[in-house]
């Protein structure tokens, strides 16, 4: 069995009930989440061997988070315990023309205080086939950025494939450098890049003539985006982009494109109405893509699996995609009826 390692911040998620605005009722639903943790749990649900690396304080909330990861069969044996707080984020689910909203409370979280040398990456990555992280982690602090790059370098030195989801988060980049000063160096160590048009513009300075607010995206335009990036970073073998056509907060069209140096693949498009929770949809896309690249023989099958996995996540409340390979294959093979199974 192949072994995967992911690195990033695990957070406490506090959500307003259903589609209420924040503190409309004096209550939050408390769960856990974070991009790389979401990725890890999805792969573990696909019966893969996954190790998750983060930093958490020594308190009951962190223990509950670790216990939940264990319950999904994610290896948490190398999680570092230090610092004083777990990062928090608040979510408010939009409806119709009212957008969903996220508020971050992550300053001085345990992972923001990391520095190089804290993790023994050679040991952590022993026997690993794949390493995954995202652009969210280097946005947290300069130390987190340094450790992310440190891990990527060790992975590449050991012949381990690296996937990287650019995941631009404007609200997080506060520590001094802009993403366009940080990300290009990291991309030198990446094999599989996951991004959207805003990620590429803000993190790499690569522009694409699309209007994401129009509700209609042309998949073929993304060939130009991929070509520009591969020309600069020839080490990147695959570039994958999720295409979200947002009709409203709870009605999206969703599809996936993937490019290699000489081919371009487009998935079928899913019309997702009555969205339950779109948070984690991109992470489900990333995990589905990585699973497909490692387990399916054709790139077209991979983009179909990734698109279906992420479409299904929109029907599940919380960060984590609690679905199986069979669930994804049923949808990707054409059964979107939603009929009861018994």
């Amino acid at each position: 069995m192949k072994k995967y390692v992911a690195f990033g911040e695990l957070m406490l998620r506090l959500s307003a009930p259903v589609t209420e605005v924040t503190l409309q009722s004096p209550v939050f639903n408390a769960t856990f989440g974070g991009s790389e943790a979401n990725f890890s749990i999805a792969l573990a649900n696909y019966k893969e061997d996954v190790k998750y690396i983060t930093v958490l304080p020594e308190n009951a909330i962190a223990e509950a988070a670790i216990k939940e990861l264990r319950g999904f069969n994610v290896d948490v044996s190398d999680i570092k315990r230090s610092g004083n707080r777990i990062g928090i984020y608040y979510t408010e689910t939009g409806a119709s023309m009212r957008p969903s909203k996220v508020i971050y409370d992550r300053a001085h979280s345990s992972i923001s205080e990391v520095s190089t040398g804290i993790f023994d990456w050679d040991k952590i990555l022993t026997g690993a086939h794949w390493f995954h992280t995202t652009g969210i982690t280097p946005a947290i602090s300069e130390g987190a950025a340094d450790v992310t790059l440190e891990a990527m370098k060790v992975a590449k030195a050991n012949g381990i494939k690296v996937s990287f989801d650019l995941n631009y988060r404007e609200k997080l980049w506060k520590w001094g450098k802009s993403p366009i000063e940080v990300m290009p160096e990291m991309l030198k160590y990446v094999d599989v890049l996951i991004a959207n048009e805003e990620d590429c513009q803000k993190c790499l300075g690569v522009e694409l003539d699309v209007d994401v607010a129009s509700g209609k995206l042309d998949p073929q335009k993304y060939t130009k985006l991929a070509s520009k990036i591969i020309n600069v970073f020839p080490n990147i073998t695959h570039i994958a982009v999720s295409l979200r056509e947002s009709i409203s907060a709870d009605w999206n069209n969703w599809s996936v494109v993937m490019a290699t140096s000489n081919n371009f693949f487009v998935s079928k498009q899913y019309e997702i109405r009555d969205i339950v929770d779109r948070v984690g949809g991109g992470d489900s896309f990333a995990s589905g893509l990585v699973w497909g690249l490692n387990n399916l023989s054709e790139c077209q099958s991979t983009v179909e699996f990734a698109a279906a996995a992420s479409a299904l996540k929109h029907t599940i409340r919380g960060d984590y995609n609690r679905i199986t390979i069979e669930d994804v294959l049923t949808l990707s093979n054409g059964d979107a009826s939603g009929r009861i199974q018994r």
Side-chain angles (χ1 to χ4, degrees):
M1 181 182 290
K2 294 172 180 175
K3 177 181 174 182
Y4 302 78
V5 177
F7 170 62
E9 182 168 28
L10 181 63
M11 294 175 290
L12 175 66
R13 171 178 168 173
L14 300 178
S15 304
V18 197
T19 55
E20 291 187 8
V21 299
T22 300
L23 291 177
Q24 177 178 334
S25 298
V27 64
F28 285 114
N29 295 315
T31 55
F32 297 102
S35 184
E36 299 86 357
N38 301 343
F39 173 92
S40 299
I41 285 173
L43 275 185
N45 283 339
Y46 302 152
K47 307 302 183 185
E48 299 290 352
D49 181 1
V50 189
K51 176 178 285 192
Y52 177 62
I53 306 298
T54 192
V55 187
L56 290 170
E58 292 274 7
N59 63 35
I61 296 174
E63 288 296 336
I66 291 172
K67 182 179 180 180
E68 185 167 48
L69 287 165
R70 285 199 190 101
F72 285 104
N73 292 318
V74 174
D75 183 348
V76 294
S77 60
D78 282 309
I79 287 179
K80 186 74 67 176
R81 309 302 295 274
S82 68
N84 296 310
R85 68 182 301 254
I86 186 171
I88 301 171
Y89 81 105
Y90 302 83
T91 64
E92 176 186 307
T93 300
S96 190
M97 71 289 295
R98 177 170 60 85
S100 299
K101 298 178 182 178
V102 172
I103 299 172
Y104 293 119
D105 180 14
R106 302 167 74 162
H108 309 293
S109 65
S110 291
I111 200 170
S112 72
E113 298 174 351
V114 296
S115 58
T116 55
I118 285 179
F119 291 106
D120 184 348
W121 288 112
D122 283 303
K123 174 180 174 292
I124 289 169
L125 293 167
T126 296
H129 164 73
W130 200 280
F131 177 74
H132 177 79
T133 190
T134 79
I136 296 174
T137 305
I140 297 169
S141 67
E142 184 172 11
D146 291 342
V147 173
T148 302
L149 183 59
E150 176 187 47
M152 294 169 86
K153 287 180 175 179
V154 173
K156 291 308 297 177
N158 285 279
I160 298 166
K161 297 289 186 182
V162 175
S163 56
F164 189 61
D165 190 340
L166 277 177
N167 256 342
Y168 173 69
R169 297 290 185 269
E170 181 180 5
K171 293 179 180 180
L172 292 182
W173 282 94
K174 305 298 183 185
W175 57 265
K177 287 186 178 180
S178 68
I180 208 164
E181 295 176 277
V182 175
M183 295 303 195
E185 178 64 20
M186 293 186 174
L187 260 62
K188 295 177 184 178
Y189 303 93
V190 172
D191 297 285
V192 177
L193 179 66
I194 301 159
N196 62 27
E197 59 288 322
E198 183 185 28
D199 295 333
C200 294
Q201 177 187 347
K202 300 295 186 180
C203 297
L204 304 175
V206 177
E207 301 280 350
L208 185 65
D209 180 26
V210 297
D211 181 6
V212 296
S214 68
K216 189 67 178 176
L217 298 174
D218 179 3
Q220 295 303 319
K221 284 192 174 183
Y222 290 82
T223 60
K224 297 179 181 178
L225 181 72
S227 178
K228 288 178 181 179
I229 294 173
I230 289 175
N231 283 339
V232 178
F233 302 99
N235 51 289
I236 295 176
T237 60
H238 298 78
I239 298 175
V241 182
S242 58
L243 277 58
R244 183 187 296 277
E245 296 177 352
S246 185
I247 313 304
S248 69
D250 42 18
W251 176 10
N252 291 177
N253 295 324
W254 181 263
S255 58
V256 167
V257 299
M258 182 173 71
T260 64
S261 60
N262 55 8
N263 282 300
F264 188 68
F265 306 90
V266 184
S267 78
K268 71 183 71 171
Q269 185 181 78
Y270 294 94
E271 182 181 29
I272 314 172
R273 297 206 187 203
D274 302 317
I275 292 172
V276 173
D277 193 341
R278 60 165 284 177
V279 176
D283 307 320
S284 299
F285 156 50
S287 54
L289 182 85
V290 169
W291 186 88
L293 289 172
N294 283 279
N295 292 278
L296 300 175
S297 58
E298 297 178 352
C299 286
Q300 188 62 45
S301 299
T302 293
V303 297
E304 298 296 355
F305 188 91
S310 51
L312 285 168
K313 168 60 191 71
H314 290 70
T315 71
I316 298 171
R317 200 170 305 283
D319 266 50
Y320 302 148
N321 201 13
R322 301 165 183 263
I323 58 172
T324 66
I325 294 172
E326 292 72 26
D327 294 329
V328 182
L329 291 175
T330 295
L331 179 58
S332 66
N333 288 333
D335 184 356
S337 65
R339 288 174 61 87
I340 189 169
Q341 297 179 355
R342 54 184 164 190

